[in-house]
Amino acid sequence: MRSVQAIFVKQAKDMTKNFSVLIMFVIFPLVAFGMTHFVARGNDDISDTMFTTMMAGIFVGMALIQSACTVIAEDREKKSLRFLVIAGVKPLAYLLGIGGVIFIASVLSSLAFGYIGGFSQDEFIAFMLVMMSGAIASIILGATIGIYAKNQQAATGLSMPVAVVLGFAPMVAQFNERVENFAGFFYTQQINVVVNNFSEGVAQPLAVIWINIAVLAVLFVIAYVKKGLKE
């Protein structure tokens, strides 16, 4: 636990100095707020929650992957990750320390999305459940990609295609059945399924999301063991 706490404190301090990462947790809720209040509301052809659910999905699929990826790549670039592995810090401890900071920030952003969406109490709980589960998946995926990146610039290049696919596939799936079927295997689409039809429940989408998390966790451990000690 001490190693987790030390990494958590270190990352919290580093994150407050990284404007490019911090802004991601603010800009998506702000866009959702603006589009909801100035475009959706007052327009009978657009659902009041359309932009909230859209931006929330893109936030989980894009912002969190890139945030985690950038953080890990920064550690690799500064050789921090190498020293941590030499010091015996386990993959889980490292992921909990780094991911914990990003997760807490994502909770705050998700609360903002929930407020903007104006969900009922039950809808809000379901929304937070899938958002937090999706956040965990994206943090693990971003961390895995970050381990393979030599520096922050490379991290952006590696994470961007993945983030774009996962972030925008649910939006495209609303208009294309083939994309919908393909995207159904991914956690970001399951978030979209829940927030666009709360009456269907969250059990099945959560099951798919957590299967994604389990697979991604294994990939992270493999990446950490394989690349953690290398330049």
Side-chain angles (χ1 to χ4, degrees):
M1 284 299 295
R2 288 184 179 179
S3 58
V4 174
Q5 183 179 359
I7 295 170
F8 182 92
V9 172
K10 167 194 169 297
Q11 182 52 42
K13 291 179 179 178
D14 289 346
M15 192 166 171
T16 58
K17 302 174 185 177
N18 194 331
F19 179 77
S20 62
V21 171
L22 283 176
I23 193 64
M24 292 187 189
F25 294 89
V26 178
I27 192 66
F28 287 94
L30 282 178
V31 171
F33 177 82
M35 296 298 286
T36 297
H37 284 272
F38 299 114
V39 178
R41 291 181 180 172
N43 189 327
D44 295 334
D45 296 326
I46 301 177
S47 167
D48 287 350
T49 61
M50 175 181 172
F51 293 108
T52 300
T53 56
M54 183 186 300
M55 296 309 298
I58 296 174
F59 167 75
V60 170
M62 289 191 67
L64 296 185
I65 291 176
Q66 290 189 286
S67 296
C69 184
T70 299
V71 166
I72 305 295
E74 183 179 12
D75 273 354
R76 280 185 55 77
E77 188 174 358
K78 294 179 178 179
K79 304 297 185 293
S80 300
L81 181 55
R82 181 176 184 179
F83 294 136
L84 287 170
V85 178
I86 293 174
V89 175
K90 302 300 182 183
L92 180 59
Y94 180 70
L95 184 60
L96 287 175
I98 293 292
V101 177
I102 300 174
F103 181 78
I104 290 173
S106 68
V107 169
L108 298 177
S109 296
S110 297
L111 288 171
F113 281 122
Y115 173 77
I116 295 166
F119 303 125
S120 68
Q121 182 176 349
D122 289 343
E123 290 174 345
F124 183 80
I125 292 172
F127 174 75
M128 291 300 296
L129 280 173
V130 293
M131 284 293 286
M132 294 302 90
S133 299
I136 293 171
S138 281
I139 290 168
I140 298 173
L141 177 56
T144 304
I145 297 172
I147 286 177
Y148 280 96
K150 293 182 179 180
N151 51 51
Q152 295 182 64
Q153 184 176 1
T156 301
L158 288 173
S159 64
M160 183 60 74
V162 178
V164 168
V165 170
L166 290 177
F168 284 94
M171 182 174 65
V172 178
Q174 296 182 52
F175 308 100
N176 188 298
E177 187 175 351
R178 289 184 179 180
V179 175
E180 182 179 9
N181 293 333
F182 171 74
F185 294 100
F186 302 119
Y187 62 94
T188 48
Q189 173 63 11
Q190 297 306 314
I191 296 172
N192 194 60
V193 167
V194 171
V195 297
N196 282 295
N197 191 357
F198 286 105
S199 63
E200 294 295 323
V202 298
Q204 183 174 332
L206 279 177
V208 175
I209 294 173
W210 279 92
I211 290 173
N212 275 239
I213 290 172
V215 173
L216 292 171
V218 172
L219 294 177
F220 171 79
V221 172
I222 293 172
Y224 186 92
V225 173
K226 182 179 179 180
K227 300 289 289 184
L229 286 172
K230 296 184 180 181
E231 297 292 341

